[in-house]
């Protein structure tokens, strides 16, 4: 287990963190994005997906109503926003475990998934700090170690 912190002074820094994580991301990785409304979860997810797509202008709609939006990128990625999930049971209807097995996953509002997230998920918590954000990256297992190593470079 490890914890990596990065101070994100502005929106561009949040985008850079997303791009850096995209470089380290592998199929099967699950990244949980925690933080209040406006913390920067969608900003980070959008930059990460655009980096995987190698397309800075790629349309990345919010999956608030669809719950999930999937991208056929270098590493296939599923972008979840579980804010409107009524119960963790609803995830079974999305074929949640099957979807997680096929590509990588970015999950906003992972709290709603309760115990359905794998133990090996990497959590990025974004908290307000001064005029920017502090990203606290935690987890257990090879994905966290790979991402932490890559962020240290
Ligand atoms: P969330 O998905 O967590 O609700 P959004 O990404 O939709 O948050 O919105 C985050 C807001 O905060 C955007 O207006 C964005 O420009 C801004 N923002 C993102 N990262 C930072 C940062 N590091 N410092 C200051 N503002 C930021
Ligand atoms: Mg959001």
């Amino acid at each position: 287990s490890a914890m990596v912190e990065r101070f994100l002074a502005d929106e561009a820094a949040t985008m850079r963190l997303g791009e850096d994580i995209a470089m380290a991301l592998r199929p099967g990785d699950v990244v949980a994005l925690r933080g209040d409304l406006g913390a920067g979860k969608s900003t980070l997810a959008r930059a990460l997906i655009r980096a995987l797509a190698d397309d800075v202008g790629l349309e990345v709609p919010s999956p608030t109503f669809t719950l999930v939006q999937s991208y056929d990128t270098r590493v296939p990625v599923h972008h979840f926003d579980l804010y409107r999930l009524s119960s963790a049971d609803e995830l079974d209807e999305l074929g949640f475990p099957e979807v997680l097995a096929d590509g990588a996953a970015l999950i906003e509002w992972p709290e709603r998934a309760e115990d359905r997230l794998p133990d090996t998920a990497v959590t990025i918590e974004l908290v307000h700090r001064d005029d920017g954000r502090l990203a606290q990256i935690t987890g257990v297992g090879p994905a966290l170690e790979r991402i932490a190593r890559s962020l240290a470079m």
Side-chain angles (χ1 to χ4, degrees):
S1 121
M3 147 99 121
V4 178
E5 287 191 335
R6 187 188 275 193
F7 178 67
L8 309 170
D10 53 22
E11 181 180 26
T14 302
M15 292 165 66
R16 241 166 3 246
L17 177 62
E19 290 157 9
D20 289 349
I21 290 170
M23 298 281 291
L25 203 69
R26 297 285 176 273
D29 291 352
V30 175
V31 177
L33 295 169
R34 298 176 68 112
D36 296 338
L37 204 66
K41 304 179 294 297
S42 295
T43 302
L44 192 153
R46 196 178 309 116
L48 193 159
I49 293 164
R50 285 175 172 170
L52 284 180
D54 201 18
D55 179 353
V56 294
L58 182 73
E59 203 62 47
V60 179
S62 164
T64 307
F65 292 96
T66 54
L67 296 178
V68 60
Q69 192 79 43
S70 299
Y71 298 85
D72 190 14
T73 35
R74 180 162 54 75
V75 173
V77 64
H78 306 283
H79 179 201
F80 289 89
D81 182 336
L82 302 182
Y83 188 72
R84 289 181 181 272
L85 196 74
S86 38
S87 80
D89 292 338
E90 209 184 326
L91 286 173
D92 303 332
E93 289 161 36
L94 294 175
F96 195 61
E98 294 80 7
V99 170
L100 291 192
D102 161 44
L106 301 178
I107 307 180
E108 298 187 49
W109 300 100
E111 302 88 331
R112 302 282 203 273
E114 297 174 7
D115 58 0
R116 305 280 206 291
L117 291 193
D119 295 338
T120 53
V122 174
T123 296
I124 304 178
E125 175 141 28
L126 297 170
V127 295
H128 285 256
R129 173 69 56 92
D130 303 323
D131 288 335
R133 309 287 187 270
L134 183 68
Q136 298 179 307
I137 307 172
T138 53
V140 177
L144 186 271
E145 280 163 30
R146 179 174 5 93
I147 288 168
R149 221 179 305 118
S150 142
L151 292 179
M153 294 192 309

